[in-house]
Each structure stands twice: as structure tokens, then as C-alpha cells.
Amino acid sequence: MRVIIKKDYEECSVWAANHIADAIKKFNPDEEKPFVIGLPTGSTPLGIYAKLAEKCRAKELSFKNVISFNMDEYVGLAPDNENSYRYFMNRNFFDLIDINKANTHLLDGCAADLEAECENFEKMIAESGGIKLFLGGIGNDGHLAFNEPGSSLTGRTHVQLLTEDTRSVNSRFFWRRYFKSAGKGFDGWNRYYLRCGRSADYCIGQGKSLCCCSCCGRLCKPGMACVGLAAA
């Protein structure tokens, strides 16, 4: 594991975007050999997505032969609901790059059979050839995606009851009438995170410095603006 410390959010976003762009270009994907990436949501990756979109607009990077999987979504929210993670990803990333929307995969929070939806998601990941790079944003309590504390490190994609801490932190994204829907979500991160070729996990801001210190065993100052973790 490498621990990379940057002075602020901007520097971390630039470093992460360059790291991802270099990995895609080095892989040299095509239709027969696409690059498969795992992506997060939330506030942490927004700067990274903006930098990657800039590279795409400048023709420095293409996502035409990239397949993406997001590992979490809220149960009960339709893809076109502005509080869903599908809506979030379209607005903040997919609509800004040249990726084929058919190659972007998120769980359907309104699927009639949630268990079947989880099984199908697992099947799609397997058929893609496996995830080459995971981009992760570490939560206040150390979770990645919705793998709340106590979740199995080898668990399959499943419906996860969200903790009060996660609901409280994420409530700023919700209109009041949708907040009740945020009590459950899908989580499919752990097993594929452990099996992926490479991961890059980001911990942003003072509130997460203690969590980062616990994860990597390195002393991080409480006022540190940005800490980046990369494991290869």
C-alpha cells in the first residue's frame, strides 16, 4: 500500500484523475478488451470526475471502451429520481464524457425482485472479465460504498440496512419526503474490491483524518485537508 498525502482537495483530485487516466491509457482498451472500473458516489469523487471530464473534452482520454460498475444505490429510488445514484452519476460524470451509457451499470433501486437484481449484477461483473481498477471514497466511519461497519469482507451483492450515521451524513442530499427511502441500499463492494487488480481510495477532510489514520497506521494531522490512499 502507498499512502499519498496532498495539501488540498484540488491536488488530490488532479492526482486521482491522472492516476485513473494513466491506468486506462496503459491498458489500451478496445471493443474486445474493455477497461472495467468500479466507481463511487458522494462528494469525495466530484473533483475527480470534473478533471476526468476535462481530459475527455480535450481529447486526452476516451471512455468509449470503458465499462463501469457502481457498487451502491438506494432501495426505493427510481433511476430518474434526482436523489438516486444513477441520476447523480449521469449528471456529474456520464453525461460529461464519451462513455456508452449501455456500459454504465448501477443497481435498480426499484427492481421488483431485489435478490434477483443483486444476482444479475454479480453476473454482469463476472461476464465483464472482472474489475481492473476501483476508485473508492472512504466514509466517516470507514465504509466503502454501503458496506457498513460489521459487513462481511467477502459478502456478495445484497440489500444493506444503513446505519444512522450514514443516513445522517447523506441526508443533506435528500429532500425531506425522500429521506425515509434512504434507510436501505444495495452494497456490492467488498468481494470485488478485494479481487480487483488495483484500488485507489480517497479520504478527504479533517472529519475523516482519524479514520484514515486507523486504516493505514500513519499519523495524519487533524487539520489535514486531503489524504489519498492507493493500493496496487
PDB file of all heavy atoms in Angstrom, residues 2 6-8 15 24 58 67 71 76 104-105 111 121 133 144 186 194 203 231:
ATOM      1  N   ARG A   2       0.498   2.206  -0.823  1.00  0.00           N
ATOM      2  CA  ARG A   2       1.144   3.519  -0.799  1.00  0.00           C
ATOM      3  C   ARG A   2       0.184   4.525  -0.185  1.00  0.00           C
ATOM      4  O   ARG A   2      -1.005   4.509  -0.484  1.00  0.00           O
ATOM      5  CB  ARG A   2       1.506   3.981  -2.210  1.00  0.00           C
ATOM      6  CG  ARG A   2       2.644   3.209  -2.844  1.00  0.00           C
ATOM      7  CD  ARG A   2       2.966   3.794  -4.206  1.00  0.00           C
ATOM      8  NE  ARG A   2       1.856   3.609  -5.138  1.00  0.00           N
ATOM      9  CZ  ARG A   2       1.604   4.430  -6.155  1.00  0.00           C
ATOM     10  NH1 ARG A   2       2.340   5.500  -6.342  1.00  0.00           N
ATOM     11  NH2 ARG A   2       0.598   4.183  -6.978  1.00  0.00           N
ATOM     12  N   LYS A   6      -1.812  14.856  -0.004  1.00  0.00           N
ATOM     13  CA  LYS A   6      -1.838  16.103  -0.766  1.00  0.00           C
ATOM     14  C   LYS A   6      -2.348  17.230   0.125  1.00  0.00           C
ATOM     15  O   LYS A   6      -3.060  16.991   1.103  1.00  0.00           O
ATOM     16  CB  LYS A   6      -2.728  15.959  -1.997  1.00  0.00           C
ATOM     17  CG  LYS A   6      -2.255  14.899  -2.987  1.00  0.00           C
ATOM     18  CD  LYS A   6      -0.896  15.243  -3.565  1.00  0.00           C
ATOM     19  CE  LYS A   6      -0.442  14.223  -4.586  1.00  0.00           C
ATOM     20  NZ  LYS A   6       0.895  14.549  -5.139  1.00  0.00           N
ATOM     21  N   LYS A   7      -2.021  18.438  -0.233  1.00  0.00           N
ATOM     22  CA  LYS A   7      -2.313  19.557   0.665  1.00  0.00           C
ATOM     23  C   LYS A   7      -3.782  19.975   0.647  1.00  0.00           C
ATOM     24  O   LYS A   7      -4.266  20.565   1.617  1.00  0.00           O
ATOM     25  CB  LYS A   7      -1.432  20.759   0.339  1.00  0.00           C
ATOM     26  CG  LYS A   7      -1.775  21.486  -0.948  1.00  0.00           C
ATOM     27  CD  LYS A   7      -0.902  22.720  -1.138  1.00  0.00           C
ATOM     28  CE  LYS A   7      -1.270  23.490  -2.389  1.00  0.00           C
ATOM     29  NZ  LYS A   7      -0.418  24.700  -2.556  1.00  0.00           N
ATOM     30  N   ASP A   8      -4.503  19.686  -0.448  1.00  0.00           N
ATOM     31  CA  ASP A   8      -5.896  20.109  -0.509  1.00  0.00           C
ATOM     32  C   ASP A   8      -6.689  19.228  -1.482  1.00  0.00           C
ATOM     33  O   ASP A   8      -6.143  18.343  -2.141  1.00  0.00           O
ATOM     34  CB  ASP A   8      -6.029  21.589  -0.886  1.00  0.00           C
ATOM     35  CG  ASP A   8      -5.351  21.937  -2.204  1.00  0.00           C
ATOM     36  OD1 ASP A   8      -5.236  21.046  -3.082  1.00  0.00           O
ATOM     37  OD2 ASP A   8      -4.935  23.096  -2.366  1.00  0.00           O
ATOM     38  N   TRP A  15      -4.390  14.450  -8.827  1.00  0.00           N
ATOM     39  CA  TRP A  15      -3.598  13.229  -8.733  1.00  0.00           C
ATOM     40  C   TRP A  15      -4.447  12.007  -9.097  1.00  0.00           C
ATOM     41  O   TRP A  15      -4.013  11.130  -9.858  1.00  0.00           O
ATOM     42  CB  TRP A  15      -3.042  13.064  -7.323  1.00  0.00           C
ATOM     43  CG  TRP A  15      -2.105  11.900  -7.182  1.00  0.00           C
ATOM     44  CD1 TRP A  15      -0.747  11.909  -7.313  1.00  0.00           C
ATOM     45  CD2 TRP A  15      -2.467  10.534  -6.924  1.00  0.00           C
ATOM     46  NE1 TRP A  15      -0.237  10.639  -7.149  1.00  0.00           N
ATOM     47  CE2 TRP A  15      -1.265   9.776  -6.919  1.00  0.00           C
ATOM     48  CE3 TRP A  15      -3.674   9.876  -6.703  1.00  0.00           C
ATOM     49  CZ2 TRP A  15      -1.253   8.396  -6.673  1.00  0.00           C
ATOM     50  CZ3 TRP A  15      -3.662   8.504  -6.476  1.00  0.00           C
ATOM     51  CH2 TRP A  15      -2.467   7.779  -6.460  1.00  0.00           C
ATOM     52  N   ILE A  24      -6.031   3.707 -17.649  1.00  0.00           N
ATOM     53  CA  ILE A  24      -6.844   3.404 -18.829  1.00  0.00           C
ATOM     54  C   ILE A  24      -5.986   3.415 -20.084  1.00  0.00           C
ATOM     55  O   ILE A  24      -6.050   2.499 -20.918  1.00  0.00           O
ATOM     56  CB  ILE A  24      -8.010   4.411 -18.950  1.00  0.00           C
ATOM     57  CG1 ILE A  24      -8.998   4.230 -17.794  1.00  0.00           C
ATOM     58  CG2 ILE A  24      -8.726   4.239 -20.298  1.00  0.00           C
ATOM     59  CD1 ILE A  24     -10.094   5.282 -17.747  1.00  0.00           C
ATOM     60  N   ALA A  58     -10.842  17.496 -23.868  1.00  0.00           N
ATOM     61  CA  ALA A  58      -9.598  17.897 -24.532  1.00  0.00           C
ATOM     62  C   ALA A  58      -9.044  16.794 -25.431  1.00  0.00           C
ATOM     63  O   ALA A  58      -7.952  16.946 -25.996  1.00  0.00           O
ATOM     64  CB  ALA A  58      -8.560  18.289 -23.483  1.00  0.00           C
ATOM     65  N   ILE A  67     -16.050   0.115 -19.300  1.00  0.00           N
ATOM     66  CA  ILE A  67     -17.276  -0.367 -18.644  1.00  0.00           C
ATOM     67  C   ILE A  67     -17.188   0.010 -17.176  1.00  0.00           C
ATOM     68  O   ILE A  67     -16.146  -0.179 -16.539  1.00  0.00           O
ATOM     69  CB  ILE A  67     -17.410  -1.895 -18.780  1.00  0.00           C
ATOM     70  CG1 ILE A  67     -17.561  -2.282 -20.246  1.00  0.00           C
ATOM     71  CG2 ILE A  67     -18.592  -2.417 -17.968  1.00  0.00           C
ATOM     72  CD1 ILE A  67     -17.570  -3.789 -20.484  1.00  0.00           C
ATOM     73  N   MET A  71     -21.125   0.449  -7.020  1.00  0.00           N
ATOM     74  CA  MET A  71     -21.408  -0.608  -6.067  1.00  0.00           C
ATOM     75  C   MET A  71     -22.522  -0.305  -5.076  1.00  0.00           C
ATOM     76  O   MET A  71     -22.820  -1.118  -4.210  1.00  0.00           O
ATOM     77  CB  MET A  71     -20.134  -0.961  -5.287  1.00  0.00           C
ATOM     78  CG  MET A  71     -19.035  -1.568  -6.143  1.00  0.00           C
ATOM     79  SD  MET A  71     -19.462  -3.183  -6.838  1.00  0.00           S
ATOM     80  CE  MET A  71     -19.782  -2.722  -8.539  1.00  0.00           C
ATOM     81  N   GLY A  76     -35.586   1.762  -3.298  1.00  0.00           N
ATOM     82  CA  GLY A  76     -36.817   2.553  -3.302  1.00  0.00           C
ATOM     83  C   GLY A  76     -36.754   3.801  -4.160  1.00  0.00           C
ATOM     84  O   GLY A  76     -37.773   4.471  -4.350  1.00  0.00           O
ATOM     85  N   THR A 104     -22.572   1.505 -18.586  1.00  0.00           N
ATOM     86  CA  THR A 104     -22.553   2.023 -17.210  1.00  0.00           C
ATOM     87  C   THR A 104     -23.599   1.263 -16.395  1.00  0.00           C
ATOM     88  O   THR A 104     -24.762   1.222 -16.775  1.00  0.00           O
ATOM     89  CB  THR A 104     -22.835   3.531 -17.176  1.00  0.00           C
ATOM     90  OG1 THR A 104     -24.172   3.794 -17.635  1.00  0.00           O
ATOM     91  CG2 THR A 104     -21.840   4.283 -18.041  1.00  0.00           C
ATOM     92  N   HIS A 105     -23.177   0.673 -15.304  1.00  0.00           N
ATOM     93  CA  HIS A 105     -24.061  -0.234 -14.571  1.00  0.00           C
ATOM     94  C   HIS A 105     -24.236   0.205 -13.114  1.00  0.00           C
ATOM     95  O   HIS A 105     -23.256   0.373 -12.383  1.00  0.00           O
ATOM     96  CB  HIS A 105     -23.496  -1.652 -14.605  1.00  0.00           C
ATOM     97  CG  HIS A 105     -23.268  -2.164 -15.989  1.00  0.00           C
ATOM     98  ND1 HIS A 105     -24.296  -2.454 -16.858  1.00  0.00           N
ATOM     99  CD2 HIS A 105     -22.126  -2.425 -16.668  1.00  0.00           C
ATOM    100  CE1 HIS A 105     -23.806  -2.888 -18.005  1.00  0.00           C
ATOM    101  NE2 HIS A 105     -22.490  -2.868 -17.913  1.00  0.00           N
ATOM    102  N   ALA A 111     -36.254  -2.315  -8.488  1.00  0.00           N
ATOM    103  CA  ALA A 111     -36.443  -3.633  -9.100  1.00  0.00           C
ATOM    104  C   ALA A 111     -37.512  -4.414  -8.347  1.00  0.00           C
ATOM    105  O   ALA A 111     -37.597  -4.341  -7.116  1.00  0.00           O
ATOM    106  CB  ALA A 111     -35.124  -4.407  -9.091  1.00  0.00           C
ATOM    107  N   PHE A 121     -26.479  -8.446 -11.116  1.00  0.00           N
ATOM    108  CA  PHE A 121     -25.346  -7.532 -11.039  1.00  0.00           C
ATOM    109  C   PHE A 121     -24.040  -8.310 -10.913  1.00  0.00           C
ATOM    110  O   PHE A 121     -23.044  -8.005 -11.570  1.00  0.00           O
ATOM    111  CB  PHE A 121     -25.533  -6.584  -9.852  1.00  0.00           C
ATOM    112  CG  PHE A 121     -24.716  -5.326  -9.921  1.00  0.00           C
ATOM    113  CD1 PHE A 121     -25.003  -4.342 -10.847  1.00  0.00           C
ATOM    114  CD2 PHE A 121     -23.665  -5.114  -9.035  1.00  0.00           C
ATOM    115  CE1 PHE A 121     -24.266  -3.173 -10.904  1.00  0.00           C
ATOM    116  CE2 PHE A 121     -22.919  -3.947  -9.082  1.00  0.00           C
ATOM    117  CZ  PHE A 121     -23.220  -2.977 -10.018  1.00  0.00           C
ATOM    118  N   LEU A 133      -9.797  -1.627 -11.942  1.00  0.00           N
ATOM    119  CA  LEU A 133      -9.447  -0.541 -11.023  1.00  0.00           C
ATOM    120  C   LEU A 133     -10.683  -0.099 -10.253  1.00  0.00           C
ATOM    121  O   LEU A 133     -11.737   0.131 -10.846  1.00  0.00           O
ATOM    122  CB  LEU A 133      -8.875   0.655 -11.795  1.00  0.00           C
ATOM    123  CG  LEU A 133      -8.656   1.954 -11.018  1.00  0.00           C
ATOM    124  CD1 LEU A 133      -7.585   1.772  -9.942  1.00  0.00           C
ATOM    125  CD2 LEU A 133      -8.266   3.091 -11.951  1.00  0.00           C
ATOM    126  N   LEU A 144     -16.777   1.767   2.658  1.00  0.00           N
ATOM    127  CA  LEU A 144     -16.690   1.977   1.229  1.00  0.00           C
ATOM    128  C   LEU A 144     -18.037   1.557   0.666  1.00  0.00           C
ATOM    129  O   LEU A 144     -18.540   0.486   0.988  1.00  0.00           O
ATOM    130  CB  LEU A 144     -15.582   1.130   0.608  1.00  0.00           C
ATOM    131  CG  LEU A 144     -14.140   1.544   0.934  1.00  0.00           C
ATOM    132  CD1 LEU A 144     -13.174   0.458   0.493  1.00  0.00           C
ATOM    133  CD2 LEU A 144     -13.792   2.855   0.249  1.00  0.00           C
ATOM    134  N   PHE A 186     -28.289  -0.913  -1.674  1.00  0.00           N
ATOM    135  CA  PHE A 186     -27.550  -2.073  -2.157  1.00  0.00           C
ATOM    136  C   PHE A 186     -26.077  -1.885  -1.815  1.00  0.00           C
ATOM    137  O   PHE A 186     -25.551  -0.770  -1.869  1.00  0.00           O
ATOM    138  CB  PHE A 186     -27.649  -2.179  -3.683  1.00  0.00           C
ATOM    139  CG  PHE A 186     -28.994  -2.588  -4.203  1.00  0.00           C
ATOM    140  CD1 PHE A 186     -29.811  -1.669  -4.842  1.00  0.00           C
ATOM    141  CD2 PHE A 186     -29.424  -3.898  -4.086  1.00  0.00           C
ATOM    142  CE1 PHE A 186     -31.037  -2.046  -5.363  1.00  0.00           C
ATOM    143  CE2 PHE A 186     -30.656  -4.287  -4.604  1.00  0.00           C
ATOM    144  CZ  PHE A 186     -31.457  -3.357  -5.241  1.00  0.00           C
ATOM    145  N   LEU A 194     -11.760  -6.618  -3.048  1.00  0.00           N
ATOM    146  CA  LEU A 194     -10.629  -7.466  -2.675  1.00  0.00           C
ATOM    147  C   LEU A 194     -10.046  -8.205  -3.875  1.00  0.00           C
ATOM    148  O   LEU A 194      -8.873  -8.584  -3.876  1.00  0.00           O
ATOM    149  CB  LEU A 194     -11.064  -8.474  -1.610  1.00  0.00           C
ATOM    150  CG  LEU A 194     -11.438  -7.881  -0.250  1.00  0.00           C
ATOM    151  CD1 LEU A 194     -12.012  -8.961   0.659  1.00  0.00           C
ATOM    152  CD2 LEU A 194     -10.238  -7.214   0.412  1.00  0.00           C
ATOM    153  N   CYS A 203      -9.685   9.744   1.032  1.00  0.00           N
ATOM    154  CA  CYS A 203     -10.202  10.176   2.328  1.00  0.00           C
ATOM    155  C   CYS A 203      -9.990  11.680   2.395  1.00  0.00           C
ATOM    156  O   CYS A 203      -8.847  12.153   2.448  1.00  0.00           O
ATOM    157  CB  CYS A 203      -9.439   9.455   3.440  1.00  0.00           C
ATOM    158  SG  CYS A 203     -10.152   9.653   5.079  1.00  0.00           S
ATOM    159  N   ALA A 231      -3.638   1.536  -3.261  1.00  0.00           N
ATOM    160  CA  ALA A 231      -3.098   0.183  -3.096  1.00  0.00           C
ATOM    161  C   ALA A 231      -3.027  -0.476  -4.450  1.00  0.00           C
ATOM    162  O   ALA A 231      -3.972  -0.401  -5.228  1.00  0.00           O
ATOM    163  CB  ALA A 231      -3.979  -0.636  -2.159  1.00  0.00           C
TER     164      ALA A 231
END
